[in-house]
Amino acid sequence: MHHPSSTLKFPAPLFLAVLVAGLLQANDATAQAGTQTGMPASVQVDAPADAPANASQSGHVNSVRNTELKSYRVMAAGLDAFDDHHALAPKAREVRFQLIPGPDAPADAMQDLALRIAGNATAISVPLSANGSFVLPRSAQADSDNADLLTNKKKDQFRWQASVHSDDVPPGMRRLGDLRLQCQVSIAIAKKEMPFWIRTMVATMLRTTDWCSADALKMGTYSDPAIASATLLDGERRVALQVKNGGTSFQAPMGDTRYADDTLIEMVYRDPAGAPPASL
């Protein structure tokens, strides 16, 4: 299917490439990400973006031709995962998808950004928040029409991450169950696009079909503004988490069952004045 607009090209999360590369290089103890594990390869992710906003904007999707389209059905798999695993974050009202410019995007990539779902008989405008986050609507028509998610910008300019926030999380904190649900949404979308043989190999390597529960999976959470530290609070214990990429990413123990879903992670921002409000 071709549309006179560019696709919102959501690349599969980085860990997929690392996993497959590790499977093909099973004799190498160190994977591309540079972290050694007991698996044939380490699994490393630094995925972008977390903070939804309330301000909305929409715009006309201009003609920028791109033939590589992202299927609505693929993204809708994330909505199904949110419903299926909602017990991880029962006080989270929705899952948002956060867009941030990629490393090669122009400085004005977010300016006048517009998004829509388009198919042969489908035309749905998708409002974007000021920070580039959006809610993907449920649409039986878009699904049956095999519609695509399109933007008015050129492909490969944006990266994405699911964003889940429970209502009662204090300012400067993240909740572990929210991050686990984000992982389930992202993995469901990735699996929807992957061939069966790759899904089978990854599941074999991780020894589970629930990839987010695997200790080998190190999935990073993007932070903007940058953080100085991230500390997991477990009763009287304080566990320092790894902060990477200049403070823009931290790694939470997604698959560690010692920590309950209600476990909080304390974020210390490099610039306290720029810390997001409690709802972000």
Side-chain angles (χ1 to χ4, degrees):
M1 184 186 300
H2 299 278
H3 300 287
S5 307
S6 77
T7 291
L8 182 58
K9 177 69 174 178
F10 288 115
L14 175 61
F15 72 89
L16 296 178
V18 177
L19 284 170
V20 175
L23 287 166
L24 296 176
Q25 300 172 2
N27 294 327
D28 197 347
T30 303
Q32 294 176 353
T35 303
Q36 190 169 353
T37 71
M39 307 295 288
S42 66
V43 185
Q44 187 78 28
V45 179
D46 286 306
D50 279 313
N54 295 324
S56 297
Q57 63 182 20
S58 60
H60 177 67
V61 178
N62 300 319
S63 293
V64 181
R65 182 171 295 278
N66 176 12
T67 59
E68 298 180 38
L69 302 178
K70 187 72 176 183
S71 170
Y72 172 83
R73 292 175 181 171
V74 169
M75 295 302 296
L79 303 182
D80 294 337
F82 178 82
D83 292 341
D84 293 342
H85 299 279
H86 197 212
L88 293 169
K91 294 184 180 180
R93 290 172 288 178
E94 62 188 10
V95 57
R96 298 184 71 89
F97 295 96
Q98 174 88 32
L99 305 181
I100 64 169
D104 299 325
D108 62 349
M110 299 298 292
Q111 185 175 348
D112 299 324
L113 181 63
L115 187 65
R116 67 169 175 160
I117 301 167
N120 291 330
T122 304
I124 303 172
S125 178
V126 181
L128 285 170
S129 297
N131 69 339
S133 69
F134 65 94
V135 174
L136 186 71
R138 287 280 190 182
S139 173
Q141 180 181 16
D143 183 85
S144 62
D145 197 20
N146 197 21
D148 298 291
L149 194 58
L150 309 178
T151 184
N152 59 336
K153 302 288 184 174
K154 293 182 180 179
K155 66 177 183 178
D156 298 330
Q157 287 192 2
F158 300 97
R159 297 175 294 168
W160 68 278
Q161 178 172 284
S163 179
V164 175
H165 293 263
S166 293
D167 288 338
D168 58 349
V169 177
M173 298 282 188
R174 291 303 311 268
R175 181 180 174 277
L176 186 57
D178 293 1
L179 303 185
R180 285 170 171 162
L181 185 49
Q182 288 181 188
C183 179
Q184 293 290 347
V185 171
S186 298
I187 292 295
I189 293 171
K191 284 183 175 180
K192 189 72 173 180
E193 289 190 303
M194 294 174 68
F196 174 77
W197 67 272
I198 294 182
R199 296 198 307 271
T200 301
M201 283 200 301
V202 174
T204 299
M205 189 185 75
L206 295 179
R207 300 181 181 180
T208 178
T209 57
D210 182 5
W211 300 357
C212 293
S213 69
D215 289 337
L217 183 69
K218 307 298 182 184
M219 191 167 187
T221 299
Y222 187 86
S223 179
D224 182 17
I227 58 175
S229 66
T231 305
L232 185 142
L233 308 180
D234 180 34
E236 298 298 319
R237 294 180 63 211
R238 295 176 61 88
V239 182
L241 303 181
Q242 186 177 19
V243 175
K244 303 183 65 179
N245 300 328
T248 61
S249 177
F250 68 95
Q251 289 184 351
M254 305 287 189
D256 195 330
T257 57
R258 293 176 299 174
Y259 304 119
D261 292 332
D262 284 331
T263 301
L264 295 178
I265 298 171
E266 181 183 61
M267 317 287 287
V268 176
Y269 294 91
R270 290 189 172 185
D271 180 6
S279 61
L280 299 187

